[in-house]
Amino acid sequence: MLLLLYFNNFFLAVVCMGFLLKEIVFVLIVLFAASCVGTIDDKTVPQTNAIDTRPIISYEGIYSANAISHERIEIFFPVSRKNADDVVYVISVDSSATPIYVPGASATLFKDYRNLFMYTLRDLDQNTSYEISVEILQVSEGVISSSGETQIVSTFPEKTAVFDGISSSENIPGASGLNALKINWNAAVSIGGLISKDEIDPIAYNVIALNADAGRLPTDFFNEGFSPPERIVWQVPPNSVSTVISGLASGTNYYVMVQAVHHGTTLSSSAKLEGNSRYTQISTLDSSSSSVTFSSDSFTVSTPIGQSGLSSLRATWGAPEGNFDHFRIFYSTSLSDVDTVVTGPKDSLCDGAEV
């Protein structure tokens, strides 16, 4: 009764002073209740009396994580449905106090065919287990999701190549583009010399193409159960940073990736290759003339400097795209003559040149 009387007196005194201190009343009630049932763990006591009325962000969290080398892990997580410029992905490794913040529009994020973002964790320790989580921070609201999802994965026990994978793929202009593609990448890390190679140094690159129109998916890149024309592999020298892959079907959609083969594979038959999953999606040219695009605005004519300018002109134009065979240039002293025959063969009225 003494405590209750003290509580009541305190409360009445506060009211008479004209202050509305509900929080103080609440704390005193909790303390009184605690004296009856036991102690309260200090860690459960809120650090602030403010009520957070900000919206709660719903996010699924990390989807999967895969080690791809002795020092790299690829993590996959859903693309947020919020505006990319208003989202930051917060990646925590082993509950680090300094997480990795990746803007939603960052070029370091790779979107795969499942509409998942892929991000590569780099410079990790060899043969080490990591617990990884991904949440989203909505910048405009200043709030962060709390999915609670984590993935645990270990880096490779043996060293592999250190390689970023394919950088781009492109069509080849002209008829050769019907059955071929040009593939580009940045060289893998090399720290040895010409004579004495380090085990991580690249000794070759595997370029792998999957026929997407035949139902193959990027998950089939390392599935040796598929053979040409569904899955085709080319191996190119270690000093290459691009190559042309041929023997493809025209007008066909392909997934293409590049994998580095390291020197360690010659030292151990059980050596594991790096397994990056970065790829591009591209179609070979088809035989239809409608696939040819050419900007006529890129065509310019100028007079050469010097003696050659007395009897010649210099013509330049931008490279077209698509399945074209060659160029035809018409020229005449009369514009009407050119307009008459520009769509037909060259004749005596308007001379032409095939280039």
Side-chain angles (χ1 to χ4, degrees), residues 331-343:
Y331 50 92
S332 172
T333 56
S334 171
L335 181 60
S336 60
D337 290 344
V338 175
D339 290 339
T340 301
V341 299
V342 71
T343 58

Side-chain angles (χ1 to χ4, degrees), residues 32-176:
F32 175 74
S35 68
C36 298
V37 300
T39 60
I40 297 177
D41 186 348
D42 290 341
K43 291 183 294 185
T44 66
V45 177
Q47 298 302 307
T48 176
N49 294 319
I51 298 176
D52 192 346
T53 60
R54 294 174 298 180
I56 298 175
I57 299 181
S58 176
Y59 185 64
E60 301 89 335
I62 189 169
Y63 179 82
S64 64
N66 305 308
I68 62 170
S69 76
H70 65 286
E71 65 162 28
R72 293 187 178 185
I73 293 175
E74 288 180 344
I75 59 175
F76 296 84
F77 44 93
V79 177
S80 172
R81 292 179 290 274
K82 299 184 180 298
N83 187 321
D85 293 329
D86 191 33
V87 168
V88 173
Y89 294 92
V90 184
I91 303 171
S92 296
V93 181
D94 285 343
S95 301
S96 172
T98 55
I100 302 169
Y101 296 94
V102 184
S106 172
T108 59
L109 295 172
F110 170 77
K111 185 187 293 186
D112 72 5
Y113 72 102
R114 300 168 296 181
N115 199 38
L116 294 175
F117 270 147
M118 184 271 283
Y119 182 84
T120 304
L121 298 174
R122 305 164 185 263
D123 302 320
L124 303 175
D125 293 330
Q126 183 176 344
N127 196 26
T128 302
S129 179
Y130 293 92
E131 183 175 11
I132 307 163
S133 67
V134 181
E135 302 295 344
I136 59 171
L137 168 66
Q138 186 173 5
V139 178
S140 60
E141 297 290 343
V143 291
I144 190 170
S145 65
S146 57
S147 69
E149 294 294 324
T150 63
Q151 292 281 326
I152 299 176
V153 64
S154 299
T155 50
F156 289 179
E158 296 181 350
K159 290 185 177 182
T160 68
V162 179
F163 181 54
D164 292 335
I166 190 170
S167 59
S168 65
S169 57
E170 56 189 280
N171 290 112
I172 300 173
S176 57

